[in-house]
Amino acid sequence: MKAPLRRGFSFYLAHMSTDRRRFIKIGLAGSVAALVPWRLRSSPAFKPAPGIKVLSTWDHGLVANAMAMSVLGRGGDALDAVEQGVAVVESDFTNRSVGLGGRPDRDGHVTLDACIQDHDGRAGAVAFIEHYEHPIQIARAIMERTPHVMLVGEGAERWAKENGFPRKEVEIPEVREQWKEWLTKGEYKPVVNRENHDTIGMVAMDERGRLAGSCTTSGIAYKVHGRVGDSPLIGAGLFVDGDVGAACATGTGELVIRVAGSHSVVELMRQGMEPREACRVVVQRILDKHPGLEEHQVGLLALRKDGAHGAYSIYEGFSYALSSEEGTELVKSDFVRALK
Ligand code: ASP
């Protein structure tokens, strides 16, 4: 097995400063795929695509992809790429929806959720954990060092400490102030597409055609203490099947969980559906089966084993970072509803 490539933050910055100018074409792409007719096939044999690929949710995906591409570009594994890619965003304490810079729950605790899955379906997850900078690394360690998939809360924190992960106290006055202000009304109303609501999910393929995915979040701002969303749940926030493809989700986790969002996308691709269409069908299923929750955003992102990819969201405004050897671009997802 290849030794994992570990690069520092300075490497990532250097990579960004040179490659950014060369490659990134932000906002030029529009939608990546047209609606392609699909047909059901019993067991499609998707041929692995030549070349490396990384897709991740929202604008913060650009910096995450840069790190992931630096791993893949040196022949690294998809699993290392998705772990190290999203870890960049976890370390950005100006981000209000991922990592320790995220907004707290309604009791003032910043609680984090993450999961990771490899080509062979091995999975690790951590949920409702406080005071650790890199839940994605803990999720991977749970996958590799325990017979379990998921640890939560106090048990997860104890296990992380025993396994050498450093605790970190991060206090951001601005975040505290905004939480205190929120407490004066205590209104529980997530806002579509606002920054309090943007998990990073990443799916990637390495040069050997192996897939992996990761997902990490501080969850919905001002959530009830103890709430866990879709992001650390294999099948909801993330699902990888090395024979078919990978998918990840962002948005109101409760809705994603109800339809096993990422798993559903992968199963539709298994039946022969194009990635974009699979995402659209699952988004539409959420809308059809759960009336009354229309104000919530959900975005789904998929990468098929043959390199085809696509996304769909309930509302306009979901975007994802797409990287390959050709370069990186921020792509606007297709959607069901325009924002007024
Ligand atoms: N899906 C995340 C959650 O429900 C939130 C988000 O994507 O913004 O916790």
Side-chain angles (χ1 to χ4, degrees):
M1 207 169 79
K2 269 187 195 125
L5 284 160
R6 305 232 173 241
R7 303 277 176 185
F9 195 64
S10 54
F11 177 85
Y12 136 69
L13 279 180
H15 178 83
M16 274 304 282
S17 56
T18 50
D19 290 1
R20 209 184 164 108
R21 277 193 303 276
R22 209 151 23 113
F23 288 145
I24 293 178
K25 297 169 281 176
I26 301 172
L28 294 181
S31 304
V32 265
L35 181 61
V36 180
W38 59 276
R39 64 198 159 87
L40 287 174
R41 287 173 282 172
S42 50
S43 43
F46 301 117
K47 283 206 286 186
I52 55 182
K53 207 154 268 167
V54 181
L55 288 87
S56 66
T57 57
W58 305 106
D59 307 20
H60 47 211
L62 292 171
V63 290
N65 280 19
M67 175 58 96
M69 287 297 285
S70 76
V71 174
L72 296 179
R74 282 157 184 77
D77 292 336
L79 186 64
D80 293 326
V82 298
E83 178 196 351
Q84 293 176 42
V86 301
V88 171
V89 181
E90 289 179 334
S91 289
D92 174 5
F93 297 149
T94 66
N95 190 306
R96 296 287 167 258
S97 49
V98 176
L100 293 172
R103 295 192 195 283
D105 64 21
R106 69 181 188 187
D107 293 358
H109 298 265
V110 178
T111 71
L112 305 179
D113 302 334
C115 73
I116 193 162
Q117 192 168 28
D118 75 4
H119 187 85
D120 301 317
R122 294 188 315 149
V126 67
F128 191 46
I129 191 169
E130 289 183 61
H131 307 300
Y132 285 90
E133 182 173 347
H134 289 302
I136 197 64
Q137 293 172 356
I138 298 170
R140 179 168 177 176
I142 290 167
M143 173 176 99
E144 292 177 338
R145 300 182 205 166
T146 80
H148 309 304
V149 168
M150 180 183 254
L151 297 179
V152 305
E154 201 195 314
E157 286 163 19
R158 199 182 332 137
W159 187 89
K161 192 168 168 225
E162 286 165 7
N163 281 270
F165 290 92
R167 257 177 78 88
K168 188 154 191 151
E169 299 289 337
V170 174
E171 178 76 29
I172 302 173
E174 172 201 304
V175 172
R176 285 274 123 187
E177 284 317 305
Q178 287 166 356
W179 167 64
K180 282 185 189 151
E181 201 183 308
W182 175 85
L183 274 181
T184 60
K185 287 203 209 104
E187 195 183 20
Y188 185 64
K189 200 175 173 203
V191 181
V192 172
N193 278 327
R194 295 287 288 275
E195 209 215 329
N196 66 354
H197 199 32
D198 299 346
T199 294
I200 182 154
M202 176 180 280
V203 289
M205 179 158 36
D206 62 29
E207 66 179 23
R208 292 183 295 154
R210 290 176 66 82
L211 298 168
S214 60
C215 195
T216 180
T217 191
S218 54
I220 291 179
Y222 314 134
K223 60 196 175 187
V224 172
H225 187 61
R227 179 264 189 191
V228 170
D230 60 316
S231 304
L233 302 182
I234 297 296
L238 176 72
F239 193 69
V240 180
D241 182 323
D243 293 331
V244 178
C248 60
T250 180
T252 303
E254 284 72 6
L255 297 177
V256 179
I257 294 169
R258 287 181 190 191
V259 297
S262 296
H263 181 260
S264 297
V265 169
V266 171
E267 289 310 301
L268 291 169
M269 292 197 293
R270 190 194 305 279
Q271 291 164 22
M273 212 179 266
E274 292 296 317
R276 173 191 177 279
E277 179 63 0
C279 294
R280 189 196 66 76
V281 166
V282 175
V283 158
Q284 192 58 51
R285 189 177 298 165
I286 291 171
L287 288 169
D288 293 345
K289 293 185 92 91
H290 304 290
L293 292 169
E294 289 89 353
E295 292 309 307
H296 295 256
Q297 173 68 306
V298 168
L300 293 167
L301 182 56
L303 171 62
R304 205 169 56 186
K305 188 189 164 91
D306 62 0
H309 48 82
Y312 223 89
S313 59
I314 296 181
Y315 281 99
E316 181 182 5
F318 172 48
S319 57
Y320 62 95
L322 167 64
S323 301
S324 68
E325 277 155 330
E326 313 280 288
T328 291
E329 54 193 342
L330 191 66
V331 180
K332 288 182 180 153
S333 166
D334 292 316
F335 50 87
V336 181
R337 297 183 172 152
L339 282 175
K340 287 169 204 132

